[in-house]
Amino acid sequence: MVLVLVAALAAFRYSALFLFATEGDVPPASVVALPSESEVVDDDVECGSGGCWRLLTVRPPSGTTAEDLVTELGTRLGHRIGGTIWDPRTINLSSEVDEGFLVVRADYWS
């Protein structure tokens, strides 16, 4: 009985995620696993033609550069993170270095 209830709730959750998905959906900032000494100095949501995305501006840990952080995180253009049990949608990540900071873009739509 419990297994049937869990399966029904999961089916409802997944159906709702996909049926009610909009271009305004953005992944949470927590999807980007940052090293402990990194600091998010700006968390912004921007929208344009084709959807919305989250931009995280990250200060790398002292003693490292933004380029080092790119290598550690693996956030290169076209990198994808698989979904979780709670939210199975794939997240697209890209990044660029801007004046010593790493700017990470996360979205569901690109």
Side-chain angles (χ1 to χ4, degrees):
M1 179 67 175
V2 172
L3 186 58
V4 171
L5 180 61
V6 170
L9 289 173
F12 176 76
R13 167 80 177 150
Y14 292 171
S15 297
L17 279 174
F18 290 101
L19 290 174
F20 301 113
T22 69
E23 290 182 347
D25 292 351
V26 293
S30 62
V31 300
V32 181
L34 297 170
S36 61
E37 294 178 11
S38 299
E39 179 185 357
V40 175
V41 295
D42 193 25
D43 180 354
D44 225 3
V45 173
E46 295 183 357
C47 297
S49 178
C52 295
W53 53 90
R54 179 173 302 280
L55 289 177
L56 296 173
T57 304
V58 180
R59 177 181 293 127
S62 64
T64 63
T65 65
E67 290 82 3
D68 295 336
L69 193 53
V70 168
T71 303
E72 185 173 340
L73 294 175
T75 52
R76 300 203 188 339
L77 189 59
H79 183 74
R80 296 180 147 204
I81 297 175
T84 64
I85 288 178
W86 182 249
D87 187 349
R89 296 177 288 183
T90 300
I91 299 164
N92 304 297
L93 292 179
S94 60
S95 65
E96 65 181 42
V97 175
D98 184 22
E99 297 180 10
F101 293 94
L102 180 65
V103 180
V104 179
R105 176 181 164 151
D107 67 70
Y108 293 120
W109 307 104
S110 62

